[in-house]
Amino acid sequence: MTKYVYDFSEGNKDMKDLLGGKGANLAEMTNMGLPVPPGFTITTEACLTFLAQGGAPPEMLEEAGEHLRGLQDAMGKALGDPDDPLLVSVRSGAKFSMPGMMDTVLNLGLNDRSVEGLAKQTDGDVRFARDAYRRFIQMFGKIVMDVPADAFEHALDEAKAAKGPNAQDTDLDADDLSALIERFRAIYREQTTEDFPQEPMEQLRLAIAAVFGSWNGRRAIDYRRQNKISDDLGTAVNIVAMVFGNRGEDSGTGVAFTRDPSTGEKVPYGDYLENAQGEDVVAGIRNTERIAELERIDPDSYRGLMDVMATLEGHYRDMCDIEFTIEKGKLWILQTRIGKRTAFAEWVMAYDMLDEGLIDEDEALLRVDANRLEELFKRRVKADGARPIAKGLNASPGAATGAVVFTADDAQERANAGDKVVLVRRETTPDDYHGMIASQGILTSAGGTNSHAAVVARGEGIPAVCGADAIKLDPAAKTFTADGTTVREGEVVTIDGFTGNVYVGELPLEESVLEKARSGDEEARGEKVWKAFERLMGVADARRRLRVRANADTPDQSSNARDRGAEGIGLCRTEHMFLGEERVGAVRQMIFAETEAEEQRAYDALLPLQREDFVGIFRAMNGLPVTVRLLDPPLHEFLPNQVELAVGVARAEERGEGEVRLRDERVPLDEARVILGKVDQLHEANPMLGLRGVRLGIVKPGLYAMQVRAICEAAARVKKEGGDPKVEIMIPLVATKPELEQMRAELEPVAAEVLRAEGVQLDHLEWGTMIELPRATVTSGEIAEAAEFFSFGTNDLTQTAFGFSRDDIGKFVGMYEERKLVPANPFVTIDQPGVGRLMRIAVEEGRAANAGLHVGICGEHGGDPASVAFCHHLGLDYVSCSPFRVETARLAAGQAAVGATESAST
């Protein structure tokens, strides 16, 4: 029989799959002897069964009842007893932390009678008891019964307004709260057509169902999709005896981190709120105190909290995020988990913990996220004396500029339209998640460094400023004011997540610490994050087997790539060398040539231009391999757009004009007619599968011959200068062995002739092909007999394997991901079951036929960490990616090697 319920004493931190992260860690802390309120956990298996069956399995309810009776015995109280009630919280807890994405209900067990018993328990504190009851009605109504949150909030705001200007919820007395309870009950009745439930077990049953159901709520689904968390995990439910932080000035609640999650600094960090319950901190309803203030407010509890934080960090060997409550001077730990942190902080923490001996090099390497490495290179606001209109808490680092929007829906809509926006709210809620991740930055006027806005922003790498209380919002007018300035919807603001400053207008940005350090800035090189970057990247380079090259088409790009650690060029796209007024003219001459002589004159004009490009690249990559792809795209791409040209010609003829105006040029009408005729002649219904790649080389043999001549002349010049050019010539879009054989038969003599004439011998000159068609992968054994290397062009291989157009998939890929029709966008991460299997066939059969074959990848997937890990396991020799993703690929390759070693040893 399946066991659905576990007491905290029965679990441990390694049972996250079954108990969820929260339940597993509550169990761990209970067994460590830390002050955790007693309770039990209903498993993720129960959740999945509940969701599959549409209701709770009877045996789960029976088990939960048995554990509740055990909790009642341990506490000496009964749930909802009118004289001495046990109250519980009902909290969600999935395997992976999903801050604010699912639901929690506090104070369960209160009703019209037990509220009086709660007052007796607390020495006649009627105000406290009624405050707890109104909170329960509000939370239960919103979470369990879908009563609109605004209905309760408006009633609460009215009660505070009646009390006086700037009144807080803590200013409401027992009579005020009694009236508010009645108003809340009326709202509940209006919205649900039912009275608020008075039976505690019915409350518990409904609350458990609501927490299970929240797993499939919109915000939870959005979060999982954004963070690539499986839908099949489910959430556990934790039933925990209530402790109260809202029992007066000697009580309170807070969230603490053992280190600063924004900067990584080894200092306690967090928020504390006197006389409050935990949800008040996360919701940002009142501005909080820094955790250091607790030492002044309650020194004994502060010392106890510091001891717990040290114990947990030592036990978990990582930065811990802790929720705690102080009830009448007694410290209780309600939750711990490995804390979410910014990309900046995770590098600093990994470096410090390695220095402290808390972790070893391999673990430090695995502590940093290759997917977030690019965040370390984010630029910062360059204020240059600009005066901020407000200052808040630097909740999530980075700089953001965008048009102001005031709702999550508007943020998503405008972002989808291509606008850059900054979401401005009093505070955010989990229902705002879709708009938050669509925004460049987030600005709130309330809330602390652990409010919902701050936690989500840090987790998603979005710059955020929170608690900027000088900002006064007017949602109806869609404006906010600060420091005498009114900012309207659509106007641009800049926020600085490093300093907390808010500026009107778009401010310039400056380079990050890492970019400055890379450029030789001594001050930047002294920063800890640079030291962390250098040390951990050194570890990654020492561990990795995969080499990392770059996709680069110019000498500047090549130098940049080499500075970032690239070990060669895996893709030099020669078509980019045909752009520019002088070059396009020569290309068009080639296209329009009516005779071989005319065509050759065009090649003669292009050759020196191409040669100079290659000289610069070979110099920049001296001693490292450079893979040059011969011309790949169809020729019509070098001509004006067919429709625009036809319209331009027709308009000029109609108006009697002698010129045709195109986007960036004016062409005489007669010449435009000739160009249009050639464009019509070259027009293809499906040019991506038409006359391009090797087919173009076969039809126009002089084109590839000119390119090979330019490559070899450039290599010869660099060799004579004392350099060491390593040349790899790649023929694109090969589908059959004869295609490659014919091209080599035509081109190798050209190369040999050039090198003989120059009196030069190259130590490294190889010929290969780009594997980007399904047929090429399944006949790779044949093709390998004519190749010295393969390079996977995974962009086109994905297009042809799926039948998806990379340029058009954006219209539906979001729906495909949401409906789980694909696990991820296949143009971002390699589709391992399909495209990956084709790659595996090509590697295995290619190397079986040619033991000396070296294999790499040059599609954009080469910079995607998951794809890099797959390439490691596939046994590729290298990955190649954009210069700006070289460090990411290096890191991911090192992590793949360490992860593979760990898997093999367990």
Side-chain angles (χ1 to χ4, degrees), residues 209-357:
V211 172
F212 281 159
S214 68
W215 177 254
N216 285 334
R218 174 186 174 181
R219 61 182 187 263
I221 291 172
D222 286 345
Y223 187 90
R224 292 198 298 273
R225 181 175 165 195
Q226 178 77 5
N227 291 277
K228 295 181 171 61
I229 296 172
S230 170
D231 287 336
D232 300 328
L233 299 176
T235 180
V237 175
N238 300 286
I239 313 296
V240 190
M242 280 297 304
V243 290
F244 298 97
N246 56 333
R247 288 195 60 187
E249 299 307 313
D250 58 354
S251 301
T253 190
V255 177
F257 293 81
T258 57
R259 303 189 188 214
D260 188 324
S262 289
T263 66
E265 188 180 2
K266 191 180 179 181
V267 293
Y269 176 97
D271 298 316
Y272 181 70
L273 197 54
E274 288 183 85
N275 196 18
Q277 286 196 301
E279 293 302 304
D280 296 341
V281 175
V282 177
I285 292 168
R286 281 190 276 146
N287 284 356
T288 56
E289 301 275 8
R290 296 281 187 156
I291 199 70
E293 286 297 303
L294 180 59
E295 186 173 18
R296 174 186 58 80
I297 297 166
D298 185 347
D300 289 341
S301 294
Y302 179 79
R303 284 192 292 273
L305 179 62
M306 293 302 106
D307 288 344
V308 168
M309 290 169 74
T311 297
L312 287 172
E313 181 166 289
H315 185 74
Y316 283 90
R317 297 184 306 113
D318 204 345
M319 183 267 278
C320 292
D321 168 1
I322 299 161
E323 292 182 19
F324 67 95
T325 285
I326 299 169
E327 180 178 5
K328 289 294 182 182
K330 166 67 175 172
L331 174 68
W332 294 96
I333 307 300
L334 306 183
Q335 177 181 348
T336 193
R337 57 191 171 198
I338 302 304
K340 289 188 178 294
R341 63 208 72 180
T342 63
F344 189 97
E346 70 186 10
W347 283 80
V348 172
M349 285 183 200
Y351 176 77
D352 280 346
M353 289 179 184
L354 177 56
D355 256 4
E356 294 161 19

Side-chain angles (χ1 to χ4, degrees), residues 708-721:
V708 168
R709 184 174 296 277
I711 292 166
C712 292
E713 288 180 1
R717 184 193 301 180
V718 173
K719 180 80 171 180
K720 288 178 178 178
E721 294 171 353

Side-chain angles (χ1 to χ4, degrees), residues 680-716:
D680 288 340
Q681 180 185 336
L682 292 174
H683 176 72
E684 295 176 302
N686 191 345
M688 296 309 294
L689 298 178
L691 184 60
R692 55 169 287 218
V694 66
R695 303 157 197 167
L696 190 59
I698 291 170
V699 172
K700 285 189 172 289
L703 175 59
Y704 277 9
M706 177 274 295
Q707 290 194 294
V708 168
R709 184 174 296 277
I711 292 166
C712 292
E713 288 180 1

Side-chain angles (χ1 to χ4, degrees), residues 34-278:
L34 296 179
V36 176
F40 56 90
T41 301
I42 304 175
T43 67
T44 56
E45 286 185 358
C47 173
L48 296 174
T49 302
F50 176 96
L51 295 173
Q53 296 180 356
E59 57 270 35
M60 183 209 84
L61 296 175
E62 290 175 14
E63 277 190 73
E66 291 173 11
H67 281 264
L68 177 61
R69 286 189 287 276
L71 178 59
Q72 291 176 146
D73 291 342
M75 299 297 292
K77 301 173 184 177
L79 184 68
D81 183 82
D83 297 317
D84 187 18
L86 169 67
L87 303 182
V88 298
S89 62
V90 181
R91 297 173 179 267
S92 63
K95 176 182 180 180
F96 298 107
S97 175
M98 298 171 57
M101 295 304 125
M102 293 178 296
D103 293 327
T104 295
V105 178
L106 303 180
N107 305 338
L108 189 140
L110 281 174
N111 56 31
D112 294 348
R113 296 174 63 201
S114 61
V115 68
E116 304 302 330
L118 181 61
K120 292 176 190 175
Q121 279 181 0
T122 54
D123 302 322
D125 192 343
V126 176
R127 189 212 169 274
F128 159 72
R130 291 179 181 173
D131 185 48
Y133 193 21
R134 72 92 184 164
R135 289 170 181 270
F136 176 47
I137 297 171
Q138 182 175 1
M139 208 173 287
F140 188 93
K142 173 179 178 287
I143 289 167
V144 179
M145 302 302 291
D146 292 325
V147 176
D150 288 349
F152 292 121
E153 290 295 338
H154 289 154
L156 179 59
D157 288 343
E158 288 171 3
K160 290 189 288 189
K163 199 68 179 175
N166 300 318
Q168 300 288 328
D169 52 357
T170 50
D171 296 317
L172 301 179
D173 61 27
D175 290 337
D176 298 326
L177 290 165
S178 180
L180 189 59
I181 287 168
E182 290 307 311
R183 180 74 188 101
F184 277 11
R185 283 160 59 96
I187 291 169
Y188 184 95
R189 193 180 306 110
E190 289 165 10
Q191 295 289 336
T192 67
T193 70
E194 299 173 4
D195 287 330
F196 187 77
Q198 297 294 303
E199 171 53 48
M201 289 303 295
E202 176 68 4
Q203 296 172 357
L204 182 60
R205 184 186 65 79
L206 291 170
I208 292 170
V211 172
F212 281 159
S214 68
W215 177 254
N216 285 334
R218 174 186 174 181
R219 61 182 187 263
I221 291 172
D222 286 345
Y223 187 90
R224 292 198 298 273
R225 181 175 165 195
Q226 178 77 5
N227 291 277
K228 295 181 171 61
I229 296 172
S230 170
D231 287 336
D232 300 328
L233 299 176
T235 180
V237 175
N238 300 286
I239 313 296
V240 190
M242 280 297 304
V243 290
F244 298 97
N246 56 333
R247 288 195 60 187
E249 299 307 313
D250 58 354
S251 301
T253 190
V255 177
F257 293 81
T258 57
R259 303 189 188 214
D260 188 324
S262 289
T263 66
E265 188 180 2
K266 191 180 179 181
V267 293
Y269 176 97
D271 298 316
Y272 181 70
L273 197 54
E274 288 183 85
N275 196 18
Q277 286 196 301

Side-chain angles (χ1 to χ4, degrees), residues 369-562:
D369 185 351
N371 285 293
R372 304 174 70 195
L373 176 57
E374 291 175 34
E375 292 180 30
L376 266 65
F377 295 91
K378 281 183 177 178
R379 292 181 294 171
R380 305 177 66 145
V381 172
K382 189 175 183 181
D384 281 342
R387 183 167 171 270
I389 61 168
K391 184 177 178 67
L393 301 170
N394 52 333
S396 183
T401 295
V404 167
V405 293
F406 291 95
T407 70
D409 288 343
D410 286 344
Q412 185 180 51
E413 182 179 343
R414 292 195 59 169
N416 288 343
D419 296 337
K420 293 183 176 180
V421 299
V422 172
L423 177 62
V424 182
R425 304 280 284 160
R426 183 177 185 278
E427 69 270 339
T428 64
T429 72
D431 292 329
D432 294 323
Y433 180 75
H434 61 291
M436 296 170 75
I437 60 174
S439 302
Q440 300 296 307
I442 298 163
L443 170 62
T444 69
S445 61
T449 53
N450 288 298
S451 63
H452 177 265
V455 172
V456 170
R458 282 197 297 269
E460 300 296 346
I462 303 168
V465 173
C466 295
D469 52 11
I471 288 176
K472 307 301 178 189
L473 278 80
D474 184 345
K478 294 192 173 182
T479 64
F480 74 80
T481 57
D483 195 29
T485 301
T486 298
V487 179
R488 293 174 174 80
E489 183 178 51
E491 294 182 348
V492 173
V493 296
T494 298
I495 65 170
D496 187 343
F498 290 102
T499 65
N501 287 334
V502 181
Y503 304 90
V504 172
E506 182 173 352
L507 266 65
L509 304 179
E510 64 180 351
E511 295 298 341
S512 69
V513 170
L514 291 193
E515 286 293 359
K516 288 180 179 178
R518 194 203 305 284
S519 301
D521 186 303
E522 288 304 319
E523 183 179 351
R525 283 176 171 266
E527 295 272 356
K528 185 175 285 186
V529 70
W530 171 252
K531 294 176 181 177
F533 178 76
E534 277 200 307
R535 182 169 184 183
L536 295 181
M537 289 302 293
V539 174
D541 289 337
R543 301 292 190 272
R544 65 186 169 90
R545 180 191 57 75
L546 271 176
R547 301 299 90 194
V548 177
R549 301 189 189 181
N551 300 341
D553 311 324
T554 67
D556 286 346
Q557 289 177 3
S558 303
S559 297
N560 180 28
R562 188 161 192 162

